[in-house]
Amino acid sequence: MTVGKAIFTLLLSDTDLRAIVDNRIFPEVAQQDAVLPYVVYNISSNEPSDTKREPSKLDTAQIEVNLYSTSYSECIDMATHVRAALDRVRGTYSGVNVQSIQYLGEIIDFDEAQRTYNITADYDVRISRTDFEIAQGSPITGVTLGELSDVDTTGVTDGQVIAYDAAAQEWQPADDAGGVTELGQLDDVQFGQGGPESGDLLKYDGDEWTNDSLQKSEIGLGNVDNTSDVNKPVSTATQTELNAKANSADFSNVDNTSDADKPVSTATQTALNAKADTSAVPTDLNDLSDVSIVGAPAGNQALIYDTTAGAFQSRASYTNRFEDEVETGLYIPTIYAERGYSVKSEGDGTFIDASPDTPAAGKVIRRKIYHKTGFISDDDVIGDYTLIHTFADDTAYADTVAVFDAFEDGATYGVPPFTLFQTWEEVSATAYLLDETFGSGAEAAYSTRQLRFAQTDCMVIRRASGTPATTTIGFDSEGNIDEAAIETFCTGTTCTVYQWLDQSGNDNTATAPSGKEPTIYTGGELVKENGKVALDFDGANDALNSSLSVSLPLDNAMAIVAKGMATSTDEVFNIDGQNGLSVRIQYNNLLIAYTSSDQNYIASASNNQFLLYAGRQSSTNTVHGSLDGGAQFADTSKDSSIWNTATGILHVGARGGTSLQWDGQIQEVIYYDSDKLSNRTDIEENIGDYFTQNTPLLDTYSGAAAAYSLRLLDSTYTGSAVEVYNGSSYADIGFNVFGELDTVALAAHCGSSDGFVSKWYDQSGNSNTAAQTATADMPKIYDGTTGVVTDNGKPAFTSTGQTSLNFTQISDINSVFLVLRPTVFISNSLSFILGDSSNFDYHSGRTNQWLDNVYADPVVSNGDNYLNGTSVNLTTLNRSAGQYVLSMIHTANTVVASQISADRNIAGRSWIGNLQELIIYSDGKTDQRTDIETNINTFYDIF
């Protein structure tokens, strides 16, 4: 089994593993005198994949790797390094062509007698044998067919074939496989008398069939002659029966009526009436009611039933001709595909190797479907494909089949050539960042969420009164810090953080100096930012000093989730005091600093929560980073002379632990002593998915006719939020990792110029973009002096009485949900937020009236109206203050709309105020209204 050579090479080449076990890596059994720790691997099985044509080109081996150590932590680290060395590896090692290695799972045990920990990990290894010469036998020349021992060609004649005779156990001359063409060629038919004559029959004589004239005596008609009908005798029995019958027929009225006038019985006429006219009988396949052929059928097509059309349609008919090619092509680096389908004009290929449905402990199974135009190739990479479907976690393979088949047969993906494949992967159930390949390797990690599956504790907190004074806080079942435990311990007093525990596994605990502990519970409630627990640093003296000692310079990366309130210089992260690496807010600018005089500007600081990723790459002497998952900056101007070479410890919330204290909240700080630039996006997405409170509304409450927002409403939506005009150019502005408007990109596009919304993109999937081409009529979203327009801390755009955005008319509106703030009421005027260019539905008193602000009265509508979740009569409500979640459910009728902040193109009737979200449904969301309002309020924090 050559696979053992590859496994040995891979394990021996892993420097992290070798650092623990040296060269103590043994096949099958450890040496008698081997000292712990060590690794033993063995091959439990090896299954070839033979084909009809030739021996196996692909073997699948089951590999078991056993790790032994007297230390639990060391055993875990060994398992981590082994998995990193093997899982998803592909290449040639020690002459063995490894197609893929898949991690299957592991278990841990403790040997009481030996006092050792043992982790057993299982792997599937696929070995390609295409580079082995597979014996096919030597060709034989100069030999004729008759010379073969099992072939008898005696008496062979022109045109004959050979066929196998089971009784003789040999091949013999025979007729063509098409069969006999005449009766006389059958071996149980013998024609006598020179051949059959006219009138002859075949008659079986007990042994064979032979031709003979039929004798009437042979069939019991010896007494029958050609007597005329009138003279033919009848049997005695028949005559007796006839004599007993009365002559009841009366033919007195019968004449020689023509056939056309002869009457028929009622029953006969009824039966005739039920028959179809011969002129209506289909004469062409397409005339059948359940057949729909579009255009002339082409070659290689067949009738295939289309459930959507409810008819048979002509489509290409393929056979599974390319199974091997599809199987080979599915070995795409970094992924594991369990099903593939690829088709081109001359045939298709299907390969299925379904993976398990049961995940390992703490894991979930995730399946996805990818598509590309073109046939599959073994040169494919995942970047050649488009992700078109992600199944819910732990969806069983059997429950994916119908979805895959629908994509395979559907009009969008059913035009060859094309390829579909379905992937399988096992991921952490709660997406623990440090357990993910892209997030692993942190040197120190502090967070208010669980970052590793094996991590059990988060921090040690201290209460101002009561005993005991301190307690350790862990995590709840969903990986959040245990809020209930904090509240139980802290109720009636204030709690601060004494120690923030390192989750990297390196025990680099960050401890606060006496009297300088950040606050986590005060005033009867937890400190939170955007709905997640945070540590509050007072800007006076709070700090946490890690036990991690860092020697600069080195490759590094950091990810920080914080919210700064500073107007001077405050540092959220620092290494080695004044002349070391730090992240700071300095005079309202967010910076990465390397010394007190050399620093990189990132963005204008704000009082909003931010995610900063930053790092240094020594190979290119580059400083890089991004804010809130936005565009990456890279600075190559810093030569190596700026990098401080001293050794210092890591500080959170202050410089050197004693100065420039952070004024604001910190929720997560992760430090790597390696470059993580290639993993930046994945790290940011993992952090953003957790710390945002923006659960995409349309993920749960789907079916919107149109959906406009300055936050992400659908996790599958890949477009931008708005297009913005800065006075000279247009740019699409998307979302950051928190699912919020990318204000960094917005500020970069507008700079010192005002910015206006030219397009508000529809996130419903209906592509009904709301747009404005007249620059004077575009709502404002950015101020060149004060920055992003906001309302209650979230981006907004404002209408001034002239602005509007137009979309394709929606004619069946039943419910609308808005986030808005009216700012001005004009007496004796109308102020519309939703209208139509041609209908008169929106005046006071109209039947289908919808969303207007009449003569300083509030927004009105004929329907059920809810403001901030409370049922109201909008016509009598004083709406002169506040931001609102407005829900309007029409019960009596539907209305139409095609404009935001306009009505019938009448100048001066635009909405006056702010707008952040507008969602339109064609069905009344009566049952889901409260839940929709809750989702909106969770994000906007209005009521």
Side-chain angles (χ1 to χ4, degrees):
M1 297 183 181
T2 58
V3 63
K5 295 166 58 180
I7 297 302
F8 182 78
T9 299
L10 287 167
L11 295 179
L12 199 63
S13 300
D14 189 278
T15 56
D16 292 329
L17 181 61
R18 286 283 303 279
I20 299 175
V21 303
D22 195 17
N23 63 348
R24 296 186 298 278
I25 300 172
F26 307 105
E28 300 303 326
V29 64
Q31 292 179 359
Q32 181 66 29
D33 58 349
V35 296
L36 294 169
Y38 58 77
V39 178
V40 176
Y41 67 90
N42 56 68
I43 305 167
S44 57
S45 69
N46 189 61
E47 297 180 4
S49 299
D50 292 333
T51 69
K52 293 179 178 179
R53 298 189 299 271
E54 56 194 6
S56 172
K57 289 186 178 180
L58 177 70
D59 289 355
T60 301
Q62 295 283 334
I63 304 300
E64 184 180 89
V65 182
N66 292 278
L67 315 170
Y68 300 91
S69 174
T70 57
S71 166
Y72 175 82
S73 177
E74 187 175 61
C75 208
I76 294 295
D77 290 341
M78 291 166 63
T80 300
H81 299 324
V82 168
R83 185 171 180 180
L86 300 180
D87 195 19
R88 303 300 180 181
V89 166
R90 181 181 185 180
T92 301
Y93 305 95
S94 295
V96 180
N97 188 349
V98 177
Q99 280 283 9
S100 68
I101 301 180
Q102 180 189 352
Y103 170 77
L104 300 178
E106 62 189 29
I107 59 174
I108 189 166
D109 194 14
F110 180 73
D111 188 334
E112 186 67 33
Q114 302 295 327
R115 303 298 297 172
T116 59
Y117 293 92
N118 167 224
I119 291 179
T120 299
D122 294 321
Y123 296 83
D124 262 353
V125 183
R126 295 189 176 198
I127 302 300
S128 172
R129 301 183 70 248
T130 55
D131 53 354
F132 287 86
E133 181 175 349
I134 299 173
Q136 301 293 331
S138 300
I140 300 174
T141 60
V143 179
T144 64
L145 191 63
E147 293 178 283
L148 298 177
S149 61
D150 62 343
V151 177
D152 180 6
T153 57
T154 303
V156 64
T157 60
D158 237 4
Q160 279 191 298
V161 297
I162 62 170
Y164 191 71
D165 186 313
Q169 296 187 346
E170 62 182 10
W171 296 83
Q172 298 176 352
D175 290 325
D176 187 283
V180 300
T181 58
E182 296 182 1
L183 278 174
Q185 294 173 336
L186 299 175
D187 58 10
D188 61 345
V189 176
Q190 296 296 327
F191 289 128
Q193 304 171 8
E197 298 179 356
S198 179
D200 276 359
L201 303 174
L202 278 182
K203 182 177 68 171
Y204 194 68
D205 64 2
D207 182 46
E208 61 185 9
W209 298 84
T210 183
N211 60 304
D212 196 3
S213 297
L214 182 64
Q215 302 297 319
K216 60 184 180 179
S217 60
E218 294 174 335
I219 56 173
L221 298 177
N223 295 323
V224 176
D225 59 13
N226 196 21
T227 306
S228 64
D229 288 348
V230 69
N231 294 318
K232 282 188 173 71
V234 296
S235 68
T236 302
T238 301
Q239 189 61 55
T240 301
E241 290 296 321
L242 289 173
N243 294 339
K245 301 296 181 181
N247 185 12
S248 57
D250 181 5
F251 298 101
S252 58
N253 295 322
V254 175
D255 59 12
N256 195 23
T257 306
S258 67
D259 289 345
D261 296 326
K262 284 187 173 74
V264 296
S265 69
T266 302
T268 301
Q269 189 62 55
T270 300
L272 289 172
N273 292 341
K275 301 297 181 182
D277 192 329
T278 55
S279 62
V281 175
T283 58
D284 188 79
L285 190 62
N286 206 30
D287 293 336
L288 299 176
S289 61
D290 61 345
V291 176
S292 176
I293 298 177
V294 180
N300 200 37
Q301 284 192 329
L303 285 181
I304 299 174
Y305 192 71
D306 186 314
T307 54
T308 302
F312 286 92
Q313 295 184 341
S314 54
R315 297 216 184 137
S317 176
Y318 301 110
T319 58
N320 191 24
R321 296 179 55 191
F322 304 113
E323 178 181 1
D324 292 346
E325 287 87 339
V326 174
E327 178 180 3
T328 302
L330 285 176
Y331 297 122
I332 297 174
T334 74
I335 65 100
Y336 178 75
E338 62 180 356
R339 179 176 184 179
Y341 178 78
S342 196
V343 60
K344 49 187 174 181
S345 59
E346 63 267 36
D348 64 357
T350 300
F351 178 76
I352 299 175
D353 184 13
S355 295
D357 291 334
T358 303
K363 302 285 188 176
V364 295
I365 290 172
R366 189 164 299 152
R367 289 179 157 103
K368 302 176 182 178
I369 298 177
Y370 291 82
H371 166 268
K372 82 162 187 175
T373 299
F375 195 70
I376 199 167
S377 165
D378 56 7
D379 295 327
D380 284 353
V381 295
I382 191 64
D384 298 331
Y385 289 82
T386 299
L387 175 64
I388 60 174
H389 187 77
T390 300
F391 293 98
D393 288 347
D394 290 333
T395 298
Y397 176 80
D399 296 330
T400 69
V401 174
V403 176
F404 192 96
D405 289 345
F407 282 122
E408 181 180 316
D409 298 335
T412 303
Y413 303 108
V415 180
F418 72 93
T419 299
L420 296 167
F421 71 83
Q422 182 169 300
T423 61
W424 180 97
E425 61 180 331
E426 197 174 56
V427 298
S428 297
T430 52
Y432 299 115
L433 175 58
L434 301 188
D435 287 338
E436 301 287 352
T437 302
F438 59 79
S440 62
E443 190 66 22
Y446 313 98
S447 183
T448 55
R449 61 167 174 153
Q450 191 173 358
L451 295 175
R452 280 196 311 137
F453 178 70
Q455 186 74 26
T456 57
D457 297 328
C458 181
M459 61 180 59
V460 179
I461 63 174
R462 185 194 309 276
R463 56 185 174 188
S465 60
T467 56
T470 63
T471 190
T472 300
I473 301 298
F475 304 98
D476 64 20
S477 61
E478 296 182 355
N480 308 299
I481 191 171
D482 193 341
E483 296 184 15
I486 298 175
E487 292 171 339
T488 299
F489 185 73
C490 301
T491 297
T493 185
T494 298
C495 278
T496 54
V497 177
Y498 163 56
Q499 288 184 323
W500 207 354
L501 303 180
D502 174 23
Q503 297 191 46
S504 71
N506 298 318
D507 297 327
N508 291 318
T509 298
T511 303
S514 178
K516 299 181 180 181
E517 299 174 2
T519 302
I520 196 169
Y521 185 91
T522 185
E525 63 183 5
L526 286 158
V527 176
K528 287 191 174 184
E529 175 59 33
N530 201 21
K532 301 293 186 182
V533 174
L535 284 67
D536 185 33
F537 291 74
D538 63 4
N541 62 4
D542 291 350
L544 290 165
N545 302 322
S546 172
S547 58
L548 171 65
S549 179
V550 180
S551 295
L552 300 172
L554 74 166
D555 282 359
N556 54 50
M558 66 198 81
I560 300 170
V561 180
K563 177 179 180 180
M565 304 295 184
T567 56
S568 57
T569 302
D570 293 353
E571 296 194 355
V572 67
F573 175 91
N574 175 274
I575 294 176
D576 193 33
Q578 181 174 356
N579 291 319
L581 180 65
S582 64
V583 176
R584 67 175 64 155
I585 289 182
Q586 181 170 324
Y587 305 111
N588 287 324
N589 290 328
L590 187 59
L591 308 168
I592 301 176
Y594 324 103
T595 68
S596 59
S597 60
D598 207 323
Q599 53 203 19
N600 270 91
Y601 167 79
I602 300 171
S604 296
S606 68
N607 290 339
N608 294 330
Q609 179 190 38
F610 65 84
L611 163 61
L612 172 69
Y613 171 87
R616 180 211 179 205
Q617 190 176 54
S618 61
S619 61
T620 59
N621 219 19
T622 301
V623 177
H624 52 80
S626 64
L627 187 65
D628 292 338
Q632 176 182 307
F633 71 81
D635 185 354
T636 58
S637 66
K638 304 294 187 287
D639 63 48
S640 58
S641 64
I642 73 159
W643 297 100
N644 187 281
T645 58
T647 298
I649 65 172
L650 185 153
H651 306 281
V652 177
R655 171 192 287 177
T658 59
S659 63
L660 303 185
Q661 278 81 7
W662 184 254
D663 185 7
Q665 286 77 47
I666 302 176
Q667 293 169 297
E668 187 162 290
V669 175
I670 303 175
Y671 177 75
Y672 298 89
D673 61 2
S674 60
D675 169 40
K676 299 290 282 187
L677 181 60
S678 61
N679 303 125
R680 175 183 68 87
T681 301
D682 289 328
I683 291 172
E684 289 172 329
E685 289 178 352
N686 179 282
I687 295 173
D689 287 344
Y690 179 80
F691 284 103
T692 177
Q693 280 288 347
N694 178 21
T695 301
L697 188 148
L698 298 184
D699 282 7
T700 305
Y701 311 105
S702 59
Y708 310 100
S709 182
L710 298 179
R711 62 164 172 154
L712 185 66
L713 293 175
D714 187 330
S715 59
T716 64
Y717 177 70
T718 57
S720 297
V722 290
E723 180 187 76
V724 175
Y725 174 65
N726 65 3
S728 59
S729 64
Y730 295 83
D732 281 343
I733 306 299
F735 306 96
N736 63 25
V737 293
F738 295 116
E740 301 184 27
L741 187 71
D742 188 347
T743 55
V744 175
L746 177 61
H749 174 58
C750 296
S752 59
S753 302
D754 291 345
F756 303 90
V757 176
S758 52
K759 292 180 182 177
W760 201 1
Y761 292 108
D762 175 21
Q763 298 184 47
S764 72
N766 297 317
S767 302
N768 196 354
T769 298
Q772 178 58 260
T773 56
T775 56
D777 294 341
M778 298 176 182
K780 184 176 181 179
I781 195 170
Y782 186 88
D783 187 280
T785 301
T786 60
V788 180
V789 175
T790 62
D791 198 327
N792 198 20
K794 302 291 186 182
F797 62 75
T798 185
S799 297
T800 60
Q802 179 180 349
T803 57
S804 65
L805 295 168
N806 306 312
F807 55 89
T808 302
Q809 186 185 77
I810 302 173
S811 59
D812 55 349
I813 299 175
N814 275 106
S815 54
V816 175
F817 298 86
L818 300 106
V819 179
L820 71 165
R821 180 192 296 271
T823 55
V824 177
F825 295 93
I826 303 175
S827 180
N828 298 323
S829 181
L830 298 171
S831 179
F832 285 82
I833 195 168
L834 188 63
D836 186 69
S837 60
S838 59
N839 287 271
F840 293 84
D841 297 357
Y842 308 103
H843 289 294
S844 178
R846 293 283 180 176
T847 301
N848 292 351
Q849 177 172 302
W850 193 265
L851 298 181
D852 66 3
N853 177 29
V854 183
Y855 305 147
D857 287 337
V859 175
V860 297
S861 170
N862 290 333
D864 297 326
N865 311 309
Y866 300 86
L867 200 64
N868 294 349
T870 303
S871 178
V872 293
N873 181 350
L874 296 178
T875 59
T876 60
L877 177 69
N878 180 355
R879 299 186 309 103
S880 60
Q883 179 189 29
Y884 299 100
V885 176
L886 178 62
S887 307
M888 325 224 24
I889 312 294
H890 261 250
T891 55
N893 44 49
T894 61
V895 297
V896 299
S898 62
Q899 296 175 320
I900 300 172
S901 184
D903 178 57
R904 291 182 291 126
N905 298 322
I906 299 178
R909 288 189 172 182
S910 296
W911 179 254
I912 303 177
N914 297 339
L915 184 59
Q916 293 166 297
E917 189 160 292
L918 166 61
I919 304 173
I920 299 172
Y921 290 94
S922 294
D923 58 325
K925 291 292 183 181
T926 304
D927 295 338
Q928 296 178 322
R929 176 189 61 81
T930 301
D931 293 332
I932 293 174
E933 291 169 339
T934 299
N935 178 285
I936 293 172
N937 188 55
T938 297
F939 182 78
Y940 289 101
D941 194 23
I942 297 172
F943 60 91

